[in-house]
Amino acid sequence: MSFIRESELPGIGKKFLIQTRSGDKLVVIIHNDGRREMYHFNDDDPEETVSQISLDDDEARQIASIVGGMVYKPQALESIEVSVEDLIIEWIRVEAHYDGAGKSIAELEIRKRTGASILAIVGRQNRVINPGPEHIFAVGATIVLAGERQQIRNFKELLIGKPSKATED
C-alpha cells in the first residue's frame, strides 16, 4: 500500500515522504525559494540514498507535467483521473458523437455552466495550455480538466450530452 507523509521543515520548506506500492521510498523536499530535492532510498537500508537530484522551480514543474501525463498520455489511457484532496484532474478524449464536439469553450459556457477549468487541450499535432474561450473541441483531442468531482460530472454531461427521450424509450 502506498502512502505520503508531509512534514514542515521550519525555515526550509516542506518534506514529503512517499512510500510506493512497490516498496520504493522517495523523499521530496520543497524549499521556500522554489528549489526541489528528491532522494531515492535503498530498499535494504532505509537511511542510505541510492540517488539524489536537485531541481529549480521550472524544472520541477516540467517534470511534474511529464509524470502527471500533461505532455504525453499513453494511448491505453483514454480517461484518467488524479485526485488531490477535493481537486480532481481528469483527461477526457473528445469523441465524434459528443454534443460538444466541434463547439468552442465560449459556446458551451464551460466555466459558467460547470465551474470546471480547462488546463490544456492536446491534439495530434498541437497542444494548447490554458486555452482561450475561442478554442474548439476537436474530435480526437484530449481535454485536461480540473475541478471538484461535481464540476467534472457537470462538464462531462455538457460535453457528452444526455440521451434524448426518443432513444431512451
Side-chain angles (χ1 to χ4, degrees), residues 144-164:
V144 183
L145 182 71
E148 294 176 347
R149 193 164 304 281
Q150 186 59 50
Q151 293 172 326
I152 301 293
R153 275 192 215 112
N154 293 345
F155 176 84
K156 285 180 176 178
E157 195 173 280
L158 182 62
L159 178 69
I160 296 169
K162 293 182 181 179
S164 67

Side-chain angles (χ1 to χ4, degrees), residues 55 90 109 124 128:
L55 306 165
E90 189 162 339
E109 298 179 303
R124 288 189 176 154
V128 179

Side-chain angles (χ1 to χ4, degrees), residues 29-154:
I29 297 175
I30 303 177
H31 292 262
N32 291 335
D33 65 4
R35 286 180 301 123
R36 272 63 159 199
E37 293 176 354
M38 296 171 56
Y39 301 89
H40 179 220
F41 289 87
N42 189 333
D43 291 341
D44 299 331
D45 182 358
E47 300 301 314
E48 183 181 333
T49 59
V50 173
S51 61
Q52 171 190 342
I53 186 168
S54 295
L55 306 165
D56 67 24
D57 188 62
D58 289 338
E59 293 167 331
R61 290 178 189 280
Q62 285 178 321
I63 289 171
S65 70
I66 292 167
V67 173
M70 298 266 304
V71 175
Y72 171 75
K73 179 180 66 87
Q75 290 181 343
L77 302 175
E78 289 302 316
S79 177
I80 189 167
E81 180 181 293
V82 175
S83 176
V84 181
E85 293 190 22
D86 291 338
L87 174 68
I88 307 293
I89 300 174
E90 189 162 339
W91 287 251
I92 302 165
R93 186 163 191 257
V94 179
E95 302 291 339
H97 62 276
Y98 288 0
D99 287 355
K103 295 182 180 171
S104 72
I105 293 170
E107 187 177 354
L108 293 172
E109 298 179 303
I110 299 298
R111 214 37 199 263
K112 180 180 174 184
R113 294 173 67 187
T114 71
S117 295
I118 298 171
L119 304 176
I121 300 177
V122 182
R124 288 189 176 154
Q125 296 165 352
N126 68 338
R127 81 173 169 252
V128 179
I129 307 297
N130 194 24
E134 72 288 346
H135 197 90
I136 294 173
F137 295 121
V139 172
T142 299
I143 302 166
V144 183
L145 182 71
E148 294 176 347
R149 193 164 304 281
Q150 186 59 50
Q151 293 172 326
I152 301 293
R153 275 192 215 112
N154 293 345

